[in-house]
Amino acid sequence: MTPVVPHELTDRIIDFLHNDYVTLSAVSLACRSFLPATRFHRFAHLVLVGGRIEGFNKLLDISPDLGPFVGELVLDSGLSNASWRRLTAKTVSAMLDRLPSINSLGFRYLKLDKEIMRTVTNVRRLRTLSLVACILPSPDSLARTLSTLEHLTHLNVEDLSHAEDDAITGGVQPPRILTFGATGMDTEGTSQICSWILNGEDSGDIRSFYTRVRSRAEASAMRDLIETLGDTLTDFQMVVDAEASLAGERDALPEIPLVDMRTLAVFGESDLSLRCLTNLRSCRLTFKLREMFVPENISLPWITGLVS
């Protein structure tokens, strides 16, 4: 029976349900012709946590036609279950081989071996890669993986660590990154990759940068980075996430317990300022503080100094 309502109209109506997964599932059962539109929204962006990683592989075994609808994929160990910190190359390969349309890939809180890194290089259409709190084989292994992704333009690295300390081999060129995110630049793993990216031939093409600053060491590393990028950036986003004071003057903060001195003074003596980013078109600064925004707050002068 030919549907009375044109497909273009029903697809448009289904578009309004793009973030209502329960309703999308119900609509997909109402009519076979609704399946493509509902699957497009239901599976376009997937975040698989813990046991759902293997569960989705089993779903692909049953319904392999779901694969082409997945465009963005994030694999997350789940902080509550440490046993999922290690993924097998077989699991990742079995999944990625059946996702031909994937263009964005993310790993969170996982241990990735060399076989998994080789599997990532097979995703030739990959444009976005995010690595958050992952244990990688070595800086050289990551650099070699990134260098093979010729379509990669968006990269995010955060709090990386490495099982081995192999330095990045000379001659390995980074991809042409346009949007770059880096957090934890005071750690060796993230620091090496950042230096490699910024020393590449195409580092001047970076137009957008985002980060989180949580300590004075990170603020100092951020100062050096934005001085390197200079006036090439047009978009900048930074979250300052401090446990206590941005200034960290102990005499002025007698009520704050001595818990983590590295977060008591984020900007103190770091000389972090955005004045060298002269070509910005958009800038978003977020401050997460335990202090109140009142005149007595000793952190307020540091905020104005940052943007002056």
Side-chain angles (χ1 to χ4, degrees), residues 195-267:
S195 297
W196 178 66
I197 293 290
L198 295 177
N199 290 326
E201 297 177 355
D202 298 320
S203 61
D205 293 332
I206 298 176
R207 293 292 179 265
S208 179
F209 183 80
Y210 53 96
T211 186
R212 285 191 300 130
V213 174
R214 301 161 296 188
S215 68
R216 184 184 300 183
E218 288 185 342
S220 297
M222 175 57 54
R223 176 200 61 202
D224 297 337
L225 186 144
I226 62 177
E227 287 178 355
T228 301
L229 294 175
D231 58 359
T232 63
L233 285 184
T234 57
D235 174 62
F236 182 78
Q237 300 180 43
M238 182 172 69
V239 176
V240 179
D241 192 353
E243 288 291 332
S245 169
L246 296 183
E249 297 178 15
R250 290 299 304 169
D251 293 339
L253 299 169
E255 72 284 1
I256 297 179
L258 192 62
V259 288
D260 188 356
M261 288 303 297
R262 66 190 290 269
T263 58
L264 287 178
V266 176
F267 291 150

Side-chain angles (χ1 to χ4, degrees), residues 5 7 85 125 156 194 199 224 245 292:
V5 180
H7 287 306
R85 283 193 62 84
R125 299 179 58 183
N156 177 54
C194 288
N199 290 326
D224 297 337
S245 169
M292 296 180 65

Side-chain angles (χ1 to χ4, degrees), residues 19 49 54 120 133 135 185 187 202 204 216 229 262 274:
N19 59 351
V49 181
E54 188 59 44
V120 173
I135 302 175
M185 288 178 292
T187 62
D202 298 320
R216 184 184 300 183
L229 294 175
R262 66 190 290 269
L274 306 184

Side-chain angles (χ1 to χ4, degrees), residues 47-56 74-79 81 83-85 87 110:
V47 179
L48 303 178
V49 181
R52 293 182 180 271
I53 297 175
E54 188 59 44
F56 186 67
V74 177
L75 303 181
D76 190 328
S77 71
L79 291 176
N81 192 341
S83 63
W84 279 98
R85 283 193 62 84
L87 272 181
L110 291 165

Side-chain angles (χ1 to χ4, degrees), residues 86-89 111-118 135-137 141:
R86 182 185 294 273
L87 272 181
T88 65
K111 186 171 184 178
L112 310 178
D113 58 28
K114 292 182 179 180
E115 291 298 322
I116 294 179
M117 302 305 289
R118 292 192 190 99
I135 302 175
L136 304 173
S141 175

Side-chain angles (χ1 to χ4, degrees), residues 86-161:
R86 182 185 294 273
L87 272 181
T88 65
K90 181 179 179 181
T91 298
V92 177
S93 178
M95 184 179 297
L96 296 182
D97 288 346
R98 292 182 287 183
L99 305 179
S101 303
I102 190 168
N103 58 72
S104 176
L105 182 61
F107 295 98
R108 299 175 184 168
Y109 307 100
L110 291 165
K111 186 171 184 178
L112 310 178
D113 58 28
K114 292 182 179 180
E115 291 298 322
I116 294 179
M117 302 305 289
R118 292 192 190 99
T119 300
V120 173
T121 62
N122 295 329
V123 188
R124 296 297 182 180
R125 299 179 58 183
L126 198 63
R127 296 198 301 269
T128 301
L129 179 63
S130 177
L131 300 167
V132 177
C134 289
I135 302 175
L136 304 173
S138 68
D140 186 64
S141 175
L142 176 56
R144 289 185 177 277
T145 298
L146 296 177
S147 66
T148 63
L149 301 173
E150 56 184 21
H151 297 292
L152 190 69
T153 56
H154 295 63
L155 176 65
N156 177 54
V157 292
E158 180 174 337
D159 296 330
L160 300 183
S161 58

